[in-house]
Amino acid sequence: MSSYERLKERYLAANQSHVFTYWDRLNEKERDELLHNLNKIDIERANRIFAKSTHPTSESGNGQPSIEPFPDDSFDTTIGEESVANVESWRKIGLDAIGAGKVGALLMAGGQGTRLGNSDPKGCYDIGLPSHKPLFQIQAERILRLQTLAERELGKPVGSVIVPWYVMTSRPTRPATVAFFEKHQYFGLSRSNVIFFEQGTLPCFSPDGKVIMASPTEIATAPDGNGGYYAGLRAPLSPSDPDHTGLSDLKSRGVEYLHAYAVDNCLVRVADPVFVGYNIWKHADCAAKVIPKATPDEGLGVIALKGGVFTVVEYTEITREQAERKDPNHPDRLAFRAGSIANFFYTRTFLEEVESFESQLAFHIAQKKVPYCPVDNPTGETIKPSKPNGIKLELFAFDAFSFAKRVFVLEVDRKEEFSPFKNPPGTGYEDPDTSRTAILAQQKRFLQRAGASVADGVVIEISPLVSYAGEGLEAAKGKTYVRSGFVESVEELDGLA
Ligand code: UTP
């Protein structure tokens, strides 16, 4: 049987034979291209995922599962004076683990950033800081600083502490991401400690379950969601060495704890020792960092128990009464307040276990604009729709939490740790301007907390190489800064006083 016949039979059985609509009009090369592309796709799995996502079975068996706040003993906060001693002790535990080489960082950078609509990956974006550092550089420098902090505070030799950085890309973001790191010499990190791995892609479907053709020779595909790292970490890092995977790399380096975070949060504390230490202390399998939801109306998914298991509940899934309900033990707080910010902790052991239950996870459906080639279009041209026409299937990282035994939630201060970048300049909301403002305002607070004054209108950018979370600025005490600028060392601050 020829490869054409075999694939035709398979796609026919999968009820997707329209992928051959253009066959008679394709030349030899295009036919090879189509067969090659069809062969790469596990169409039966894609159909199964579509069916499970669009027709979920009732989890409780008797209507909708109940949604409740998670128990108090799964939760802690870093906010408020009373948490200062805890934070210090968690930080110490975390820094010890970092010093022992047991901590890695995982960057979710496979998203297509459709709201931003930029052609480059989001991490390459210059949010307009005085230094013009792109997001990837800011994060790399936070890792460099953290390594230095661990070396200094634990009395270790310079260069001995390594926090490996696992960078998840997807087919659309991979080439430009790797090229950007190469061009910038890995922002000062050692190339061998930056590990790129790729998440999977899935076909995009029309609402009636047919895969969408992007062109006469190609099915439209999209990255399989930020939870793509569970499978992505099991895939070979390069075709020439099938046994070397993200998971095997973590193991061979002795990394036991991983901090996973989204590329577009400019305030992210990469491999945060406080978060890592908290979870080591709790013996967590996995955990989420959250921010308090600002108002009952804020459209932020919250972490809660649904049918008794940890999940992220979207704002639209809870009633008005639930959104406004107060925590009976803390009447100043909302009961459903733990806003999810795609910031997670895992043990390596838990990540290794995910494969055993992964097939039970239901993907989410996202209605998106998917460029398509209509089957009845004789020209075979791709059309860019103006409104959502298709379904992308996404696994969310949090979905795996429902299978963990020990899940914890740590609340942090939004203004110190979360400012996402989703939209193009000028939007006024989660855009480059709000990101830049958030960083610069934080750095002003760092200086003020160190005992300095900053004159009105003065804007100072402090390199992450100088301070990871406000530490290292003792020399600023008693100074008044009257000039704007950015500094790469604490000595340079003097020039702005
Ligand atoms: P978002 O869900 O905000 O998606 O991703 P996005 O691609 O950045 O933007 P939109 O929704 O298309 O406008 C949150 C984080 O998850 C990563 C993103 O790169 C971002 O860090 N992500 C998302 C992945 O790594 N892979 C995916 O398939 C989706």
Side-chain angles (χ1 to χ4, degrees):
M1 202 190 259
S2 71
S3 128
Y4 165 68
E5 287 163 341
R6 216 177 41 247
L7 281 166
K8 188 137 193 208
E9 204 167 90
R10 222 176 116 195
Y11 276 77
L12 186 67
N15 215 7
Q16 302 285 4
S17 59
H18 63 289
V19 300
F20 287 101
T21 303
Y22 284 93
W23 185 260
D24 292 338
R25 282 174 268 165
L26 300 180
N27 62 33
E28 210 49 39
K29 188 165 160 279
E30 290 166 336
R31 286 181 174 183
D32 284 350
E33 229 172 83
L34 174 66
L35 296 180
H36 175 76
N37 289 332
L38 296 181
N39 213 8
K40 276 194 308 203
I41 289 172
D42 184 344
I43 191 65
E44 295 81 8
R45 173 174 178 263
N47 272 349
R48 273 198 307 276
I49 291 176
F50 179 83
K52 193 171 163 76
S53 318
T54 47
H55 297 102
T57 50
S58 167
E59 285 145 78
S60 62
N62 53 1
Q64 287 302 310
S66 66
I67 296 176
E68 297 297 333
F70 48 73
D72 265 359
D73 61 4
S74 308
F75 175 85
D76 277 284
T77 184
T78 63
I79 301 174
E81 278 305 305
E82 56 288 4
S83 70
V84 171
N86 280 342
V87 169
E88 199 34 55
S89 90
W90 298 332
R91 180 181 181 278
K92 164 121 193 32
I93 298 170
L95 211 62
D96 282 345
I98 289 168
K102 292 183 180 173
V103 180
L106 187 154
L107 166 60
M108 301 172 219
Q112 289 173 294
T114 46
R115 279 167 285 179
L116 178 61
N118 208 39
S119 56
D120 283 334
K122 258 192 211 171
C124 308
Y125 203 91
D126 165 9
I127 56 172
L129 287 168
S131 67
H132 295 287
K133 286 180 186 175
L135 294 172
F136 283 140
Q137 182 169 2
I138 296 169
Q139 294 164 24
E141 292 185 352
R142 288 190 185 138
I143 293 176
L144 283 164
R145 171 70 185 168
L146 189 57
Q147 293 176 164
T148 304
L149 272 180
E151 285 159 6
R152 288 196 191 148
E153 292 189 28
L154 303 171
K156 291 183 163 265
V158 172
S160 64
V161 171
I162 289 167
V163 176
W165 198 13
Y166 294 82
V167 179
M168 178 169 80
T169 57
S170 61
R171 206 174 295 155
T173 66
R174 170 106 183 187
T177 302
V178 176
F180 199 73
F181 273 69
E182 288 282 340
K183 180 170 159 210
H184 294 277
Q185 283 101 43
Y186 290 73
F187 312 104
L189 288 164
S190 162
R191 188 190 177 141
S192 60
N193 297 324
V194 179
I195 303 100
F196 294 103
F197 70 101
E198 200 164 313
Q199 68 177 107
T201 50
L202 279 171
C204 301
F205 285 83
S206 63
D208 61 352
K210 299 286 183 199
V211 293
I212 294 178
M213 295 305 284
S215 77
T217 60
E218 198 181 7
I219 292 178
T221 58
D224 57 3
N226 66 16
Y229 52 78
Y230 296 119
L233 283 172
R234 295 197 301 269
L237 295 173
S238 105
S240 59
D241 187 359
D243 293 335
H244 189 197
T245 64
L247 280 182
S248 78
D249 194 89
L250 284 164
K251 189 169 186 180
S252 65
R253 288 172 191 262
V255 174
E256 289 180 23
Y257 311 111
L258 205 59
H259 174 225
Y261 68 95
V263 69
D264 50 19
N265 174 14
C266 67
L267 294 181
V268 66
R269 295 194 175 164
V270 184
D272 178 16
V274 174
F275 188 42
V276 170
Y278 167 72
N279 287 301
I280 294 175
W281 176 67
K282 283 288 191 184
H283 299 283
D285 296 324
C286 53
K289 207 184 244 200
V290 299
I291 53 166
K293 199 169 150 179
T295 63
D297 291 330
E298 188 180 9
L300 188 66
V302 292
I303 294 177
L305 295 183
K306 187 173 176 180
V309 292
F310 276 89
T311 190
V312 173
V313 178
E314 296 307 329
Y315 172 60
T316 45
E317 291 181 74
I318 53 176
T319 62
R320 178 99 218 142
E321 184 282 315
Q322 284 171 314
E324 289 178 352
R325 193 187 299 170
K326 295 287 196 277
D327 180 338
N329 299 323
H330 304 275
D332 53 328
R333 299 176 182 167
L334 295 173
F336 292 96
R337 68 177 172 284
S340 176
I341 56 171
N343 198 315
F344 307 117
F345 165 92
Y346 298 96
T347 61
R348 191 188 74 232
T349 315
F350 179 74
L351 288 170
E352 287 166 349
E353 283 165 11
V354 173
E355 188 173 11
S356 66
F357 55 78
E358 204 171 35
S359 61
Q360 297 173 56
L361 300 175
F363 282 56
H364 302 256
I365 55 175
Q367 316 272 356
K368 298 270 177 164
K369 293 182 217 164
V370 181
Y372 68 108
C373 174
V375 284
D376 51 0
N377 176 0
T379 65
E381 264 167 45
T382 300
I383 295 176
K384 277 196 172 170
S386 56
K387 46 184 200 321
N389 61 323
I391 289 174
K392 287 188 183 178
L393 295 163
E394 295 186 327
L395 184 66
F396 294 165
F398 200 84
D399 295 340
F401 279 48
S402 55
F403 286 82
K405 290 188 193 67
R406 295 185 62 81
V407 180
F408 291 90
V409 177
L410 185 65
E411 180 183 68
V412 298
D413 187 346
R414 177 189 302 234
K415 70 177 181 315
E416 301 298 344
E417 302 210 31
F418 185 61
S419 177
F421 164 43
K422 304 284 181 193
N423 302 307
T427 309
Y429 172 68
E430 299 186 346
D431 66 12
D433 298 334
T434 58
S435 299
R436 183 181 58 252
T437 306
I439 290 196
L440 295 172
Q442 180 181 60
Q443 301 195 333
K444 184 171 179 180
R445 290 193 297 277
F446 285 173
L447 287 170
Q448 290 168 333
R449 273 185 221 137
S453 306
V454 182
D456 281 351
V458 168
V459 172
I460 298 178
E461 179 189 349
I462 301 166
S463 166
L465 296 170
V466 175
S467 186
Y468 176 87
E471 82 296 333
L473 297 169
E474 296 75 12
K477 189 169 181 180
K479 305 247 168 77
T480 299
Y481 294 100
V482 292
R483 269 181 291 280
S484 299
F486 78 91
V487 298
E488 289 289 356
S489 69
V490 78
E491 294 73 30
E492 284 171 31
L493 268 175
D494 282 347
L496 305 177

